[in-house]
Amino acid sequence: MHISEGVLSPAVLIGGAAIAAAGVAAGLKDIDQKEIPSMGILSAAFFVASLIHVPVGPVSVHLILNGLVGLILGWKAFPAILVGTALHALLFQFGGITTLGVNTLNMALPAVICYYLFGWGLKSGSGRSVFIFAAFASGCCAVLISSIMVGFSLYLTGEAFLPAAKLVVAAHLPVMFIEGSLTAACTLFLRKVRPELLEGVYAPK
Amino acid sequence: MEKNELIINLEDITFSYPGGAPVLDKLNFKLHRGNRIGLMGPNGSGKTTLVHIVMGLLKPSAGRIEIFEKPAVTEKDFRKVRGKIGLLFQDADDQLFSPTVLEDVAFGPLNLGKSQDEAMDIARNTLKFLGLDGFEDRITYKLSGGEKKLVSLATILAMEPEVLLLDEPISGLDDKTKATLKNVLLDLDLSYILISHEIDFLAEITDSIYTMENGEILIDQEIHVHQHVHAHPHGVYAHKHK
Amino acid sequence: MEKNELIINLEDITFSYPGGAPVLDKLNFKLHRGNRIGLMGPNGSGKTTLVHIVMGLLKPSAGRIEIFEKPAVTEKDFRKVRGKIGLLFQDADDQLFSPTVLEDVAFGPLNLGKSQDEAMDIARNTLKFLGLDGFEDRITYKLSGGEKKLVSLATILAMEPEVLLLDEPISGLDDKTKATLKNVLLDLDLSYILISHEIDFLAEITDSIYTMENGEILIDQEIHVHQHVHAHPHGVYAHKHK
Amino acid sequence: MIEELSSGNSLIQRLDPRVKIVLVFLFSVVVAVSNRLPVLMWALVLALLIVFTARVPAKELLRRLIPVNMLIVFLWLFLPFTFAGKPLFYMGSLPVTREGVLYATQISIKSNAMMLMLIALVATTPIFTLGHAMHELGIPKKIVHLFFFTFRYIHVMHREYVRLLNSMKIRGFRPKNNLHTYRSFAYMVGMLLVRSFDRAQRVYNAMLCRGYKGNLYSLSKFSLKGRDVISIVLMVAVIIILGVLEWKKTN
Ligand SMILES: Nc1ncnc2c1ncn2[C@@H]1O[C@H](COP(=O)(O)OP(=O)(O)OP(=O)(O)O)[C@@H](O)[C@H]1O
Ligand SMILES: Nc1ncnc2c1ncn2[C@@H]1O[C@H](COP(=O)(O)OP(=O)(O)OP(=O)(O)O)[C@@H](O)[C@H]1O
Ligand SMILES: [Mg+2]
Ligand SMILES: [Mg+2]
């Protein structure tokens, strides 16, 4: 869900960049210099995971996984997603320089929101069904909120974008369910194999 | 099925990674049913590349691949091939991705269209055959190096392949696991290609040893058995001498 | 400096990973200046864990560590230790993280406070010493397995250590690279601990071979050299016989 | 798959990367706020000229312009109809407005001009050099280091991903629309994360062993040369002219 260069109005670009900068600053505050190599490797893993294409009906879509990023990283999702977005622009020319802020914001804010809404459900004490629900909801909602924010960025640029914005949200409805199931299965995997990852080793203490 | 059926036939295979020099250069290679071939060669000579080409994971830029006497070109051809030829990866970490051992071993049979229960049965039997009873619920990721290798082998054997391609199965393994692996291979009575840097091991469980060099396979290697000075610690590892 | 200086002295070291059984159990170990010790042991016996403890990367739950005759307890103590002891990691991919070979080799000297130019000089000389001239601008993640091992060794030698800890330096390497490594080690005249599963290799370049088992080190291993039947392909690999 | 575009030896290649970043940034900002067609056309011409000087292979260039233009095609399906204005003609009963077509045209030119400029930048500067240059330009050290490690490990992780994918393939896996597929992909992502988590620890340890105290050093030194100054002056002048043209007419 990257918005290309040249589409959004200056006001949206500046607003997006400003909020994203605040989020990145908040995330960076939580990161110790010592943790940077580990964070980088984890960001890289998410970057690569987002290149995976899964079939949805007759087409295939690539994974977004910002819900999972949020659950694992909390506020640190902002810097991680900023770097991922920048690399998407530099390596594949998805998005660009002026849209860096908006694109980061649209992916990272839902990640943080889901961390606060559902993160509690993933702690070691919670039962299996609560756990699955929280993970599924997080994967689902992150994509939903992101697509709404992308639609909203377009709408704020001009009312003429409204139908396009609606279509963006509608197109992501099936993706939401895939992302939800994948996030649930993936967190179950992590809970079995490496529970520390879900228990705030990376997210703020 | 005749004993001398030609299972793998590579003709004039050329391959290079993007932006690199050719790794395989007009390579020719044949494997007949019943053959047990050892393959050696310096690091980077293209051994791993070769077996990946046989499985259709990499596509050669030129040359012909025939598997079970049928040309293999498209992804669809190779999908059939993968049901009959099992590849053990050089790095066991790459082969296991499910949380538990049982799930990982059952993954192949499930893909071949077996039902959940059948797949579980096959997985359990394969584990038992390899002496891995009781491993079903172990977390794959927490297995030791040697255990990972054996479980990887189980994931492949569960698909009941007719041929095995084993890419450095013993590197980094201790002597005991090496011995286990050797006995399994001798028991199985399958055709295989075994890649290794350890010629002693190859000599024990293969009929002929080929060498890779300059993108080609040199076949006319004679194996010579001769006296050699050797060191062994006393006591801990049992050892036979002639 | 006296020849018999005690470089590493571990006393009653106990260690377990979170939630696991003890990997090291009251382990004792001594390395004197000039010693070249080989260390063997089954997969998962704790060899890697042991050398990581010496470097202060893992903290034992009990026991005393003395390095260069000074107790090493805090992170600050170990920071000094790391300037004098070089560790070659089991997986070369973990060791190389800079984009180019030169940058990676210069990283250590720069951290030791050398200037940019000095660091580059040291890096170039180290590469030359290892026969890696011309590798300066190669991309680290595109090197072959053997090349990665040698470059990893270069990154360590560039820090001019007094002791080397080598964690399975030869696993997966071809005979030529093994020979290169062997010659480098023989040329260097440093004390070292060398972990490997290949006893022939250990016998050639170490003075004594220790074995790890049940969380302890068994020191009283005698090495026996004797006649042994062996197989070799003819021609391709030059081979000496006695 | 994840390959850098950079290499070759063009004039732009040898410019100071800091200069390139600043100029591309200025250019992008001016184009992003511009609306007049002539200004945008000139910007596009300028961008084409620079991409041409940077000698980007034509095939690569086209391949990299595809994603941008997909979104633009998508917008063309809407904007001419939904943007209020004077109808140009009717498609069925839907009016295609003059303003809508104009607006869509503006966006198409803007997007492509900015993308061409970005491609020229990455085609002439290795990503690591960009990182060091960003640091010199005052981007916080933490972000730059994060950028470095992410980029370095994308390749390692991508290889691990390909290997895991191959392992699924050789066991007969075919992605379909079913739970088995989604679960298998989820496991793979989980394994990728777990392994990256461990690798992160080991790499950090390896760095500690080599005396890491939180600094990364760059072996490439940046220095402003004559040609850098000339190109700054030239480009800034052109960008200012574009800006003035835009500003004069809107007032
Ligand atoms: N994914 C890749 N991209 C680019 N080059 C590669 C890739 N994989 C391997 N190579 C290169 O191709 C050559 C052959 O590699 P391959 O892994 O087949 O060698 P090998 O004989 O298996 O070596 P080893 O004994 O180290 O396992 C090497 O030079 C290697 O650097
Ligand atoms: N990070 C870790 N977390 C939990 N357990 C671990 C970890 N690393 C190693 N172990 C366990 O500790 C034991 C000792 O591992 P170690 O890597 O030291 O063995 P090793 O002797 O080096 O084996 P190998 O010959 O396979 O390299 C093993 O049982 C292993 O599973
Ligand atoms: Mg190989
Ligand atoms: Mg080890």
Side-chain angles (χ1 to χ4, degrees):
Chain A
M1 277 191 269
H2 299 285
I3 303 179
S4 306
E5 293 272 69
V7 177
L8 298 176
S9 68
V12 175
L13 292 175
I14 293 170
I19 307 175
V24 169
L28 279 185
K29 203 167 50 65
D30 284 338
I31 301 178
D32 194 26
Q33 180 70 36
K34 251 176 59 177
E35 285 177 86
I36 298 242
S38 335
M39 277 284 301
I41 293 171
L42 219 54
S43 299
F46 279 119
F47 183 96
V48 169
S50 74
L51 301 177
I52 299 176
H53 282 256
V54 298
V56 179
V59 295
S60 82
V61 299
H62 74 84
L63 296 178
I64 302 168
L65 292 179
N66 54 339
L68 189 58
V69 176
L71 290 177
I72 293 179
L73 294 180
W75 273 102
K76 296 177 198 167
F78 261 100
I81 289 177
L82 169 75
V83 167
T85 314
L87 283 168
H88 267 128
L90 293 175
L91 289 169
F92 311 128
Q93 283 79 54
F94 295 162
I97 296 179
T98 61
T99 49
L100 190 60
V102 181
N103 282 334
T104 302
L105 179 68
N106 287 345
M107 293 300 128
L109 187 62
V112 175
I113 291 177
C114 287
Y115 170 73
Y116 281 110
L117 283 181
F118 307 110
W120 56 269
L122 299 188
K123 298 289 173 252
S124 53
S126 51
R128 192 181 155 90
S129 44
V130 173
F131 182 91
I132 294 178
F133 167 78
F136 181 86
S138 177
C140 231
C141 292
V143 173
L144 178 68
I145 304 174
S146 281
S147 65
I148 292 175
M149 285 176 68
V150 168
F152 200 60
S153 314
L154 290 172
Y155 175 70
L156 281 181
T157 293
E159 283 195 32
F161 283 102
L162 190 58
K166 282 180 182 161
L167 195 69
V168 167
V169 177
H172 280 95
L173 289 180
V175 180
M176 270 171 54
F177 288 98
I178 306 289
E179 287 267 333
S181 339
L182 250 124
T183 305
C186 190
T187 41
L188 274 177
F189 177 98
L190 294 177
R191 169 152 129 149
K192 210 174 217 169
V193 172
R194 208 70 211 249
E196 310 93 282
L197 261 170
L198 297 172
E199 310 237 325
V201 183
Y202 279 97
K205 275 90 216 172
Chain B
M1 243 174 280
E2 45 168 341
K3 169 85 177 168
N4 266 331
E5 192 190 356
L6 189 55
I7 299 186
I8 298 177
N9 185 15
L10 303 181
E11 280 177 17
D12 292 329
I13 299 289
T14 302
F15 178 86
S16 44
Y17 287 97
V23 175
L24 307 183
D25 190 12
K26 299 215 169 165
L27 175 142
N28 287 287
F29 177 78
K30 281 183 176 47
L31 180 83
H32 290 90
R33 186 171 297 278
N35 282 2
R36 298 165 166 219
I37 292 179
L39 185 58
M40 303 186 69
N43 291 121
S45 58
K47 306 178 293 296
T48 300
T49 308
L50 176 69
V51 290
H52 282 228
I53 283 180
V54 171
M55 298 300 282
L57 301 174
L58 296 170
K59 300 271 176 247
S61 56
R64 275 168 55 79
I65 306 176
E66 274 181 25
I67 313 244
F68 292 105
E69 305 188 333
K70 289 201 200 78
V73 183
T74 61
E75 181 67 15
K76 212 172 130 218
D77 300 336
F78 281 109
R79 238 177 259 144
K80 273 191 219 124
V81 168
R82 291 176 199 143
K84 293 185 185 167
I85 303 186
L87 166 63
L88 186 76
F89 280 25
Q90 181 159 4
D91 187 345
D93 272 328
D94 299 334
Q95 199 132 17
L96 306 175
F97 58 90
S98 302
T100 64
V101 170
L102 191 65
E103 276 174 283
D104 219 317
V105 181
F107 178 79
L110 279 176
N111 284 327
L112 294 183
K114 304 271 194 262
S115 77
Q116 193 86 11
D117 291 338
E118 281 173 310
M120 293 290 184
D121 272 353
I122 296 177
R124 281 210 184 82
N125 290 334
T126 314
L127 287 173
K128 191 175 276 164
F129 172 74
L130 288 175
L132 296 172
D133 329 44
F135 270 62
E136 285 81 357
D137 293 323
R138 294 273 296 272
I139 308 283
T140 53
Y141 159 81
K142 290 190 179 159
L143 299 172
S144 82
E147 291 164 350
K148 272 190 193 149
K149 270 279 147 101
L150 291 176
V151 172
S152 297
L153 188 60
T155 66
I156 286 159
L157 294 182
M159 298 181 70
E160 293 163 7
E162 299 178 28
V163 186
L164 292 179
L165 309 178
L166 306 156
D167 195 354
E168 304 203 18
I170 57 160
S171 90
L173 292 194
D174 58 36
D175 293 354
K176 207 172 127 242
T177 320
K178 269 183 211 172
T180 312
L181 201 77
K182 194 172 88 185
N183 292 334
V184 169
L185 288 179
L186 291 175
D187 279 359
L188 273 173
D189 196 33
L190 290 178
S191 321
Y192 51 75
I193 302 174
L194 202 159
I195 299 176
S196 174
H197 292 292
E198 292 185 36
I199 190 161
D200 295 1
F201 185 78
L202 288 181
E204 283 183 82
I205 60 165
T206 60
D207 314 320
S208 34
I209 300 184
Y210 295 0
T211 316
M212 269 198 89
E213 248 181 6
N214 306 325
E216 287 179 287
I217 290 189
L218 309 178
I219 308 202
D220 49 2
Q221 291 293 311
E222 303 166 52
I223 300 185
H224 288 248
V225 176
H226 43 215
Q227 296 293 96
H228 191 55
V229 176
H230 241 295
H232 294 285
H234 208 64
V236 175
Y237 297 98
H239 202 85
K240 266 195 231 133
H241 299 286
K242 294 190 188 170
Chain C
M1 245 175 278
E2 46 169 342
K3 170 84 176 168
N4 266 331
E5 191 191 358
L6 189 55
I7 300 186
I8 299 177
N9 185 16
L10 303 182
E11 281 177 17
D12 291 329
I13 299 289
T14 301
F15 178 86
S16 45
Y17 286 98
V23 175
L24 306 184
D25 190 11
K26 298 215 170 165
L27 175 141
N28 287 287
F29 176 79
K30 282 185 175 49
L31 180 82
H32 290 91
R33 186 171 296 278
N35 282 3
R36 296 163 169 220
I37 293 179
L39 185 60
M40 302 186 69
N43 293 120
S45 57
K47 305 179 293 297
T48 299
T49 308
L50 176 68
V51 290
H52 282 226
I53 283 181
V54 172
M55 298 299 282
L57 303 173
L58 297 169
K59 300 273 176 244
S61 55
R64 275 167 54 78
I65 306 176
E66 274 180 25
I67 313 248
F68 292 105
E69 306 189 329
K70 290 200 199 77
V73 183
T74 62
E75 181 65 17
K76 212 173 131 220
D77 300 337
F78 281 110
R79 228 175 274 144
K80 267 189 223 127
V81 167
R82 290 176 200 140
K84 292 185 185 167
I85 304 186
L87 167 62
L88 186 77
F89 279 61
Q90 185 160 0
D91 187 348
D93 268 325
D94 297 334
Q95 196 134 16
L96 304 176
F97 50 85
S98 303
T100 65
V101 168
L102 191 65
E103 278 173 280
D104 219 317
V105 180
F107 178 80
L110 283 172
N111 282 327
L112 294 183
K114 303 272 196 266
S115 78
Q116 188 99 350
D117 290 336
E118 280 173 309
M120 300 274 250
D121 271 353
I122 296 175
R124 284 214 180 82
N125 289 336
T126 315
L127 287 173
K128 192 175 277 166
F129 173 72
L130 289 174
L132 296 172
D133 334 41
F135 271 62
E136 285 81 356
D137 294 323
R138 295 276 296 272
I139 307 288
T140 50
Y141 61 82
K142 287 188 182 165
L143 298 173
S144 86
E147 292 164 349
K148 271 190 196 150
K149 272 277 147 95
L150 290 177
V151 172
S152 299
L153 187 60
T155 65
I156 286 160
L157 294 182
M159 297 182 68
E160 293 163 7
E162 299 178 28
V163 186
L164 292 178
L165 308 178
L166 306 158
D167 196 354
E168 304 204 18
I170 57 158
S171 91
L173 293 195
D174 58 36
D175 294 352
K176 207 171 127 242
T177 319
K178 268 184 213 171
T180 311
L181 201 76
K182 195 173 88 185
N183 291 334
V184 168
L185 288 179
L186 292 176
D187 280 359
L188 273 174
D189 196 35
L190 292 178
S191 322
Y192 53 75
I193 301 174
L194 202 158
I195 299 177
S196 174
H197 293 292
E198 291 186 37
I199 189 164
D200 294 1
F201 186 78
L202 288 181
E204 284 184 80
I205 60 164
T206 60
D207 313 321
S208 36
I209 300 184
Y210 296 1
T211 315
M212 270 197 89
E213 248 181 5
N214 306 325
E216 288 180 288
I217 289 188
L218 309 177
I219 308 203
D220 50 2
Q221 290 294 311
E222 302 166 53
I223 299 184
H224 289 248
V225 176
H226 43 215
Q227 295 295 93
H228 191 57
V229 175
H230 241 292
H232 294 284
H234 208 64
V236 175
Y237 298 98
H239 203 83
K240 264 195 233 134
H241 300 285
K242 291 190 190 168
Chain D
M1 179 172 181
I2 307 172
E3 273 305 317
E4 281 186 70
L5 187 52
S6 160
S7 66
N9 191 12
S10 61
L11 174 70
I12 302 183
Q13 198 104 38
R14 278 168 277 143
L15 285 185
D16 187 320
R18 292 172 298 177
V19 171
K20 285 191 269 189
I21 293 179
V22 170
L23 289 179
V24 172
F25 182 75
L26 279 180
F27 176 84
S28 299
V29 168
V30 168
V31 172
V33 302
S34 297
N35 282 317
R36 297 197 53 239
L37 266 189
V39 175
L40 294 177
M41 287 304 283
W42 280 118
L44 184 64
V45 169
L46 180 66
L48 278 171
L49 221 81
I50 288 183
V51 163
F52 183 71
T53 326
R55 295 204 210 131
V56 184
K59 214 177 107 199
E60 271 299 311
L61 190 62
L62 290 179
R63 199 169 67 83
R64 283 159 191 271
L65 283 174
I66 288 172
V68 192
N69 286 293
M70 297 249 284
L71 185 91
I72 289 176
V73 168
F74 173 73
L75 290 178
W76 271 96
L77 294 179
F78 288 94
L79 290 179
F81 305 99
T82 56
F83 206 89
K86 250 198 309 200
L88 262 186
F89 59 89
Y90 287 84
M91 260 176 119
S93 61
L94 284 174
V96 173
T97 67
R98 211 185 93 87
E99 283 77 3
V101 171
L102 200 66
Y103 189 46
T105 312
Q106 276 174 11
I107 289 181
S108 314
I109 299 176
K110 272 191 191 183
S111 283
N112 281 295
M114 286 155 92
M115 272 305 137
L116 285 171
M117 216 49 160
L118 183 62
I119 291 173
L121 173 70
V122 293
T124 58
T125 332
I127 301 248
F128 274 108
T129 312
L130 281 179
H132 283 304
M134 286 191 300
H135 184 47
E136 297 272 310
L137 288 171
I139 307 269
K141 188 168 110 180
K142 279 183 187 172
I143 294 188
V144 174
H145 283 193
L146 186 59
F147 179 85
F148 274 133
F149 281 101
T150 307
F151 181 62
R152 168 65 179 83
Y153 278 93
I154 281 177
H155 296 276
V156 175
M157 291 297 138
H158 189 253
R159 270 198 191 190
E160 294 195 355
Y161 158 65
V162 170
R163 290 171 183 158
L164 287 173
L165 192 66
N166 278 342
S167 148
M168 290 164 79
K169 264 198 201 165
I170 61 164
R171 287 195 267 154
F173 176 75
R174 282 173 71 186
K176 296 194 195 96
N177 278 298
N178 58 20
L179 206 61
H180 175 66
T181 300
Y182 299 140
R183 190 179 45 226
S184 304
F185 275 122
Y187 285 173
M188 188 169 81
V189 173
M191 195 48 105
L192 209 55
L193 284 178
V194 164
R195 287 171 59 174
S196 54
F197 179 80
D198 279 9
R199 190 178 288 283
Q201 243 155 20
R202 293 197 304 263
V203 169
Y204 183 65
N205 281 341
M207 293 177 72
L208 277 186
C209 285
R210 284 158 67 199
Y212 177 67
K213 295 185 207 77
N215 291 315
L216 291 179
Y217 303 87
S218 164
L219 293 187
S220 44
K221 282 182 217 139
F222 302 130
S223 61
L224 278 185
K225 301 216 179 62
R227 58 167 174 261
D228 295 313
V229 178
I230 295 174
S231 44
I232 293 181
V233 172
L234 261 177
M235 270 296 285
V236 168
V238 173
I239 292 172
I240 288 177
I241 293 173
L242 287 179
V244 167
L245 273 177
E246 170 73 24
W247 179 75
K248 247 176 58 187
K249 289 294 158 64
T250 38
N251 266 1

